[in-house]
Amino acid sequence: MNERIEGLLVDWGEQRRRRGLMGTGVSPLAGLIEWCGAPPRGEPSSVILTGGAGMGYAASQVDGALAAMERRGALLDEQSNASPCLDSLLVQLAYARYLGQKPLSEQLVAARCGKSVYYERLDALHAAVERELKVRLKRSV
């Protein structure tokens, strides 16, 4: 298991569950409601007040990497009438493990594998996400 990628995927799942895909606009009324009045001075502002209601940079990059894998998997699945390709299964595993926080039994169903192959799929997911993040990094430079 790649601990760095595992940490990024855990962070992505937490942020996606908490904040969703899209940030909301800054709303003074929402800030007043959240603080039950004016926010106290000198206190750290909330996500709503600072306007950063979306996912952080690293989580959005992981989200983009998984989206690219999902698109590639859908294209390959469409071309072949056989069972889903590995990219599709890995994305389903990522959603089940990190976003849905499903128990191991449901993760095995999502990955369409037994427990003996599960950790190999998890390693493959980490490798695929790392590879996709490197591609995204090269494109941005």
Side-chain angles (χ1 to χ4, degrees), residues 10-137:
V10 167
D11 181 56
W12 164 78
E14 288 173 0
Q15 287 195 36
R16 179 108 181 250
R17 278 191 311 278
R18 195 167 13 119
R19 299 178 181 167
L21 287 174
M22 303 298 286
T24 58
V26 176
S27 168
L29 180 59
L32 291 171
I33 292 170
E34 181 179 357
W35 285 98
C36 298
R41 293 180 183 245
E43 291 293 317
S45 296
S46 69
V47 171
I48 292 172
L49 294 175
T50 59
M55 290 191 290
Y57 178 75
S60 65
Q61 290 299 312
V62 170
D63 197 57
L66 288 171
M69 290 170 57
E70 190 171 26
R71 285 191 301 272
R72 186 172 49 246
L75 183 64
L76 291 172
D77 290 345
E78 190 177 291
Q79 292 174 352
S80 71
N81 294 330
S83 60
C85 73
L86 185 60
D87 274 349
S88 295
L89 294 175
L90 295 179
V91 170
Q92 289 173 13
L93 174 61
Y95 286 152
R97 180 176 169 94
Y98 303 105
L99 190 57
Q101 293 184 315
K102 305 282 184 190
L104 182 61
S105 59
E106 291 182 39
Q107 292 178 39
L108 294 174
V109 171
R112 294 190 185 185
C113 65
K115 196 171 184 177
S116 60
V117 180
Y118 172 77
Y119 293 102
E120 293 174 16
R121 291 264 167 97
L122 195 54
D123 287 338
L125 171 63
H126 290 169
V129 168
E130 184 174 28
R131 186 172 49 250
E132 199 62 47
L133 287 173
K134 286 179 181 178
V135 167
R136 293 176 67 80
L137 180 64

